[in-house]
Amino acid sequence: MANPLHGSGPLRSRNASSSDEIQLRIDPVHSDLDEEIDGLHSRVRLLKGVAQEINAEAKFQNDFLSQLQMTLIKAQAGVKHNMRRMNKSIIQQGSNHVVHVVLFALFCFFVVYLLSKFSRR
């Protein structure tokens, strides 16, 4: 059974005799390591670009959400202000409506009184 501390393939590790260091020995049979390293380097650059695009998109969406939140706060304040104005208006006109209803009732009573007075003759 293979020891998990010792690698297999082109890179093999072996324990140093008197310290905790690990020594690596490159197998000369596998000489295409430079190509693999270059391939990995290009993939890392590609991943870095993707990560930067994700970061830029996240910042854009965060700014958008902040602006949307500010817009909603302003709209909420405007609605609250308009509701106060409407309540004041309803309260003021509510008292006027009572006066109008009382005047209308008196007018109707007066008309009925006059009609009853003239209809007797």
Side-chain angles (χ1 to χ4, degrees), residues 70-94:
M70 289 302 298
T71 302
L72 288 175
I73 289 170
K74 288 178 183 178
Q76 186 179 15
V79 168
K80 190 174 183 180
H81 176 70
N82 287 336
M83 288 297 291
R84 284 183 188 155
R85 286 178 49 200
M86 285 179 58
N87 285 336
K88 282 183 181 179
S89 175
I90 288 171
I91 289 170
Q92 288 175 354
Q93 290 191 6

Side-chain angles (χ1 to χ4, degrees), residues 18-29:
S18 65
S19 67
D20 291 335
E21 296 178 5
I22 296 176
Q23 295 179 353
L24 292 176
R25 182 172 52 112
I26 299 175
D27 193 3
V29 174

Side-chain angles (χ1 to χ4, degrees), residues 40-101:
L40 289 174
H41 185 67
S42 65
R43 288 182 184 167
V44 167
R45 271 190 272 140
L46 180 67
L47 285 175
K48 181 180 176 183
V50 170
Q52 288 174 342
E53 288 179 24
I54 291 172
N55 185 28
E57 181 67 22
K59 285 181 181 180
F60 172 76
Q61 289 183 5
N62 190 24
D63 291 342
F64 177 74
L65 287 175
S66 295
Q67 290 175 354
L68 183 62
Q69 186 177 13
M70 289 302 298
T71 302
L72 288 175
I73 289 170
K74 288 178 183 178
Q76 186 179 15
V79 168
K80 190 174 183 180
H81 176 70
N82 287 336
M83 288 297 291
R84 284 183 188 155
R85 286 178 49 200
M86 285 179 58
N87 285 336
K88 282 183 181 179
S89 175
I90 288 171
I91 289 170
Q92 288 175 354
Q93 290 191 6
S95 61
N96 288 340
H97 285 305
V98 172
V99 171
H100 290 132
V101 169

